[in-house]
Amino acid sequence: MINERLPKIFYGGDYNPDQWPEEIWDEDMRLFRLADIDIATVGVFSWSLLQPDEVTYDFSFTDKILDKLFKNGIHVCLATATAAHPAWMAKRYPDILRVDFQGRQRRFGGRHNSCPNSPTYRHFAPLMAEGLAERYSSHPSLLVWHINNEYGGTCYCENCARQFRVWLKRRYGSLDRLNEVWNTAFWGHRFYDWDEIVPPNILSEHMDENDPTRTAFQGISLDYARFNSDSLLECYKLEYEAIRKHCSDVPITTNMMGTFKPLDYFKWAPHVDVISWDSYPRYNTPMSHVALRHDLMRGLRGGQPFMLMEQTPSQQNWQPYNSLKRPGVMRLWSYQAIAHGADTVMFFQLRRSIGACEKYHGAVIEHAGHENTRVFRECANLGSELKGLGDTLLDARISSRVAILFDWDNWWAVEFSSGPSVDLKYVEQIQVYYDALYRQTISVDVVSIDTDLSGYDIVIAPVLYMVKAGAAERLESFVEEGGTFVTTFFSGLVDDNDRVVPGGYPGPLRRLLGIWAEEIDALPPEMHNSIVMKETVGSLRGQYACSLLFDLVHCETAEALAAYGADFYRGMPVLTRNTYGKGVAYYVASCPDTKFAEDFIKTICDANNIRPAVGNAPDGLEAVIRQQAGRRYLFLLNHAAEAAVVSLQGYSGRELLTNVRLDGSTQVAPRGVQIIELEETGA
Ligand code: GLA
Ligand code: ZN
């Protein structure tokens, strides 16, 4: 927990005083105090300032700004500055420059631009981190280390190719094994020498400049995705270890990006002391999508609270339409992050820059330069509210009885797949079930495939296409012990290496689900089928629409609860239930409509006696409970433009932001927030 030093929700964000003359800094401090800002992330892109050449390190900027921040009561999230390499380094050591998907070697420019396997980068980046750690590990302002920034991107250079071969040797041991798992007998791809293997990009296995998922060889592309995530993680770990040489106790993070496809964050999380992430919804992003990403980030380290490292106070610059956050929305979304487990609220950025591509990105201090702006007032009001909350919510946890499995390898494999449908997108399928839970205010943990599931009553694994070694057995014992398991079409097809498990889908899940699937139909978006219930089951009755993919399923030990309503497979099972040990396993053989997802979730939650946070939540009302030391805090977040009336279901309590006592029910203003400390009324 980073909040021991100052027991409150930290409030602040990215601060780039290196873009400004020092005269401005004192004015910044005055404005920060006005807004109750108490944390600043500094130095994210300062590498070229701190290291003007190969041998000179000049920390005078960092010395000055850290002292100033400390004197003004502001804690520092200190970046290692390695997210953009200096121009002199690129000129002198071109191996630091990436080769892109098209096979072009980049020149100096942009950021997040270093080849992760460049000897130059791996030499200089940890040295910079170490230099900073040596100098500032006992600086009184230092609260948390921020390594690099938003790791991402892929490189296809010769150094990466060499390291890829090393990585493959480590993974497979022999070329025979590699030829086997990549199925290189197909299209005459057999390798006789490791050096014959080249990175998969548009010059080799890939076929579409604009769609990097279109590959001829899933095995190599999947492994390259794993290798790239691992390569960047190696860079992170080098900096982590460099910091730890001089600083044993300050937590270290790197800012993540939610459902960011290139990095397997579950593999990263054990190396990150506190998870932090950057949330940038678009003007029309559904709030349940943001909520899913918060829950995923919370799930990376078993429910440990995370840092909201970046969000914009008002608008972005890099989206097609950079709408302003309407009055109240920044506050509402900040509390949404807190509701889902954030213990900091931070912005990009504190002062708006005046040059280059982010000058039209929102900031706490706008170009006007003073406090008399809407954005500043909203930020200052939130700052004062967070100060008022003190330590009340810190480290409070969310207790969920439902888990959704999320797996990066599976994501990559599903979307590298050539067929059955270009419209099959993994996160969208996760979202189908997440949304149904969200709308019913049932909290959910988003967990990795190797999590201990015994604490959950329901586990949902949409499109579990790849069933990794050991996963089927774990799911079987979860159900045997009384759990409810749900999976969907296009599950159980392949092993860890994207090789089909022959003998009928869903391969290793066949026993648990009590079915086998013979064929998979794919239809264009305008064509549907229907899910026709055989009889009413819980809240499921009548019929629903389904689309996208349609597994043609035969029941073995399972019973069919619903059948397809049309086409040549009319009457074949589309929803099945199998009793297995003390539990049940469901298979949803097509992509259902919203109504089905909601009725289905309600049915299985009712059967497990899982109650929503609030009953009959009006549209747009999000409700989450965080709890701490026997206290329960109900967050009511009204995303709608109308007031929401909410029944407290036999509870009363004090609303923390207004200190008003509530009984029986409450009304939440449009875009309003309430945090109610619940007390049983005994009614
Ligand atoms: C990212 C980066 C920041 C900044 C913001 C702008 O999250 O980490 O440096 O570029 O985007 O939205
Ligand atoms: Zn490279």
Side-chain angles (χ1 to χ4, degrees):
M1 194 166 117
I2 59 162
N3 305 62
E4 277 145 15
R5 290 266 298 281
L6 182 69
K8 70 175 281 287
I9 292 169
F10 273 102
Y11 189 53
D14 274 37
Y15 177 43
N16 296 305
D18 36 340
Q19 293 178 20
W20 294 89
E22 285 183 36
E23 305 85 81
I24 297 280
W25 298 4
D26 285 325
E27 177 63 357
D28 289 338
M29 299 302 128
R30 182 185 75 81
L31 292 166
F32 294 170
R33 281 197 307 272
L34 266 184
D36 287 305
I37 280 170
D38 41 45
I39 186 167
T41 303
V42 293
V44 178
F45 297 106
S46 305
W47 198 350
S48 66
L49 175 67
L50 306 184
Q51 191 176 4
D53 61 46
E54 186 153 350
V55 290
T56 315
Y57 287 85
D58 176 1
F59 292 122
S60 52
F61 157 74
T62 320
D63 287 353
K64 272 187 250 163
I65 196 67
L66 260 51
D67 289 348
K68 189 171 285 293
L69 288 164
F70 176 66
K71 282 196 197 104
N72 285 277
I74 294 164
H75 295 73
V76 169
C77 172
L78 186 56
T80 58
T82 55
H85 51 240
W88 63 259
M89 200 177 282
K91 182 173 167 219
R92 183 137 190 210
Y93 301 104
D95 68 278
I96 202 166
L97 296 164
R98 287 183 181 173
V99 169
D100 67 15
F101 184 64
Q102 281 73 18
R104 303 170 298 201
Q105 182 168 34
R106 308 293 305 179
R107 306 192 68 182
F108 175 73
R111 61 167 182 178
H112 305 156
N113 47 4
S114 313
C115 161
N117 289 297
S118 145
T120 303
Y121 187 66
R122 289 192 174 204
H123 171 72
F124 284 117
L127 270 185
M128 174 52 73
E130 185 173 350
L132 288 162
E134 193 173 7
R135 196 167 181 96
Y136 301 114
S137 63
S138 47
H139 195 282
S141 69
L142 179 65
L143 186 78
V144 55
W145 288 101
H146 178 298
I147 293 184
N148 200 284
N149 188 64
E150 295 190 337
Y151 277 104
T154 312
C155 178
Y156 301 88
C157 75
E158 280 310 311
N159 281 319
C160 286
R162 264 191 291 279
Q163 287 312 310
F164 182 44
R165 294 172 198 131
V166 172
W167 185 95
L168 290 169
K169 268 184 214 162
R170 215 177 291 136
R171 186 174 171 90
Y172 297 115
S174 71
L175 269 178
D176 282 348
R177 176 75 186 145
L178 177 138
N179 280 315
E180 183 190 333
V181 299
W182 283 2
N183 204 39
T184 56
F186 179 77
W187 284 3
H189 270 50
R190 176 157 289 279
F191 296 111
Y192 293 96
D193 188 333
W194 294 97
D195 289 348
E196 293 161 9
I197 300 168
V198 296
N201 66 0
I202 202 73
L203 301 180
S204 52
E205 299 296 358
H206 283 256
M207 324 169 203
D208 186 340
E209 302 232 358
N210 302 314
D211 179 1
T213 66
R214 292 204 57 212
T215 174
F217 257 86
Q218 279 64 27
I220 187 170
S221 297
L222 178 62
D223 275 342
Y224 207 75
R226 290 169 168 149
F227 160 73
N228 186 61
S229 174
D230 286 359
S231 297
L232 289 162
L233 176 57
E234 282 302 314
C235 293
Y236 167 85
K237 280 159 64 182
L238 288 173
E239 290 198 36
Y240 188 101
E241 284 151 20
I243 293 171
R244 284 286 176 252
K245 284 188 199 163
H246 302 281
C247 180
S248 59
D249 51 348
V250 175
I252 300 177
T253 190
T254 183
N255 48 340
M256 299 178 169
M257 290 174 279
T259 45
F260 180 64
K261 194 173 171 189
L263 301 189
D264 181 349
Y265 286 145
F266 279 116
K267 264 182 113 173
W268 282 61
H271 308 282
V272 176
D273 299 326
V274 52
I275 297 297
S276 64
W277 88 283
D278 303 344
S279 177
Y280 288 102
R282 285 163 200 256
Y283 73 97
N284 58 355
T285 305
M287 281 303 106
S288 64
H289 290 212
V290 185
L292 166 64
R293 279 127 187 107
H294 285 310
D295 287 348
L296 173 63
M297 295 292 97
R298 187 183 75 248
L300 293 180
R301 284 185 62 93
Q304 180 187 306
F306 58 87
M307 300 173 73
L308 177 64
M309 182 65 88
E310 292 181 27
Q311 63 168 346
T312 177
S314 54
Q315 69 192 144
Q316 290 93 333
N317 65 288
W318 45 267
Q319 294 180 353
Y321 307 103
N322 296 286
S323 310
L324 294 170
K325 287 182 179 168
R326 273 32 202 172
V329 169
M330 180 280 291
R331 172 178 180 265
L332 175 61
W333 293 5
S334 300
Y335 282 113
Q336 184 195 30
I338 295 172
H340 286 269
D343 274 359
T344 75
V345 172
M346 296 164 70
F347 299 110
F348 182 88
Q349 59 180 336
L350 297 185
R351 185 185 274 275
R352 208 184 253 238
S353 61
I354 56 165
C357 70
E358 286 181 345
K359 59 183 175 300
Y360 300 120
H361 192 289
V364 175
I365 306 169
E366 299 263 44
H367 283 153
H370 52 63
E371 62 268 45
N372 301 314
T373 64
R374 172 185 78 93
V375 172
F376 190 91
R377 278 191 295 275
E378 288 195 30
C379 291
N381 287 340
L382 179 59
S384 125
E385 265 184 4
L386 294 178
K387 190 172 168 189
L389 282 171
D391 66 354
T392 313
L393 298 164
L394 289 186
D395 206 30
R397 303 298 167 121
I398 291 160
S399 143
S400 310
R401 292 171 57 196
V402 183
I404 289 184
L405 293 188
F406 192 98
D407 186 59
W408 262 267
D409 287 299
N410 184 53
W411 185 1
W412 295 329
V414 164
E415 293 179 15
F416 276 135
S417 174
S418 181
S421 169
V422 290
D423 287 343
L424 176 58
K425 298 280 182 273
Y426 179 56
V427 178
E428 285 176 9
Q429 294 305 315
I430 299 273
Q431 200 78 57
V432 168
Y433 292 87
Y434 184 90
D435 283 3
L437 289 154
Y438 174 91
R439 279 191 294 272
Q440 293 173 61
T441 70
I442 293 166
S443 77
V444 51
D445 288 348
V446 182
V447 302
S448 79
I449 193 95
D450 34 48
T451 302
D452 171 13
L453 300 172
S454 58
Y456 296 104
D457 295 304
I458 299 177
V459 170
I460 306 173
V463 193
L464 189 59
Y465 167 71
M466 173 184 287
V467 179
K468 294 176 177 171
E473 293 72 16
R474 279 199 302 281
L475 292 169
E476 282 177 1
S477 55
F478 165 72
V479 178
E480 234 157 32
E481 292 307 312
T484 297
F485 175 64
V486 178
T487 190
T488 73
F489 62 92
F490 210 52
S491 289
L493 275 86
V494 299
D495 65 10
D496 298 64
N497 299 305
D498 199 49
R499 281 184 312 175
V500 169
V501 180
Y505 319 131
L509 299 176
R510 192 166 159 179
R511 194 167 45 171
L512 174 58
L513 293 160
I515 57 163
W516 78 278
E518 184 176 335
E519 293 183 87
I520 306 166
D521 195 16
L523 294 176
E526 66 281 8
M527 290 177 74
H528 295 248
N529 203 316
S530 55
I531 299 174
V532 183
M533 294 302 299
K534 302 213 157 179
E535 53 192 56
T536 298
V537 179
S539 300
L540 288 162
R541 59 176 63 92
Q543 68 177 62
Y544 305 89
C546 60
S547 56
L548 189 70
L549 292 187
F550 311 81
D551 283 354
L552 276 51
V553 166
H554 304 281
C555 284
E556 292 178 316
T557 55
E559 55 179 321
L561 302 180
Y564 287 111
D567 221 318
F568 77 93
Y569 41 91
R570 175 166 181 233
M572 285 186 85
V574 59
L575 173 66
T576 65
R577 179 174 61 195
N578 193 39
T579 304
Y580 191 88
K582 293 187 227 147
V584 283
Y586 290 88
Y587 193 77
V588 187
S590 180
C591 178
D593 62 14
T594 309
K595 182 78 174 97
F596 174 91
E598 283 186 12
D599 290 351
F600 178 61
I601 288 296
K602 181 156 185 356
T603 302
I604 58 176
C605 286
D606 284 349
N608 282 279
N609 205 17
I610 296 172
R611 298 276 150 242
V614 302
N616 295 323
D619 270 357
L621 193 275
E622 178 173 349
V624 187
I625 295 175
R626 272 184 86 169
Q627 46 197 52
Q628 157 79 308
R631 294 169 195 270
R632 288 160 33 94
Y633 304 101
L634 171 64
F635 285 75
L636 298 176
L637 306 151
N638 185 10
H639 299 291
E642 300 81 43
V645 177
V646 183
S647 155
L648 294 179
Q649 311 184 97
Y651 286 93
S652 64
R654 185 173 62 92
E655 201 286 310
L656 302 183
L657 301 170
T658 51
N659 212 6
V660 167
R661 278 206 65 79
L662 299 168
D663 221 337
S665 73
T666 182
Q667 177 159 330
V668 191
R671 292 180 177 132
V673 178
Q674 295 185 354
I675 310 172
I676 304 162
E677 185 176 338
L678 295 175
E679 292 157 25
E680 306 249 9
T681 54

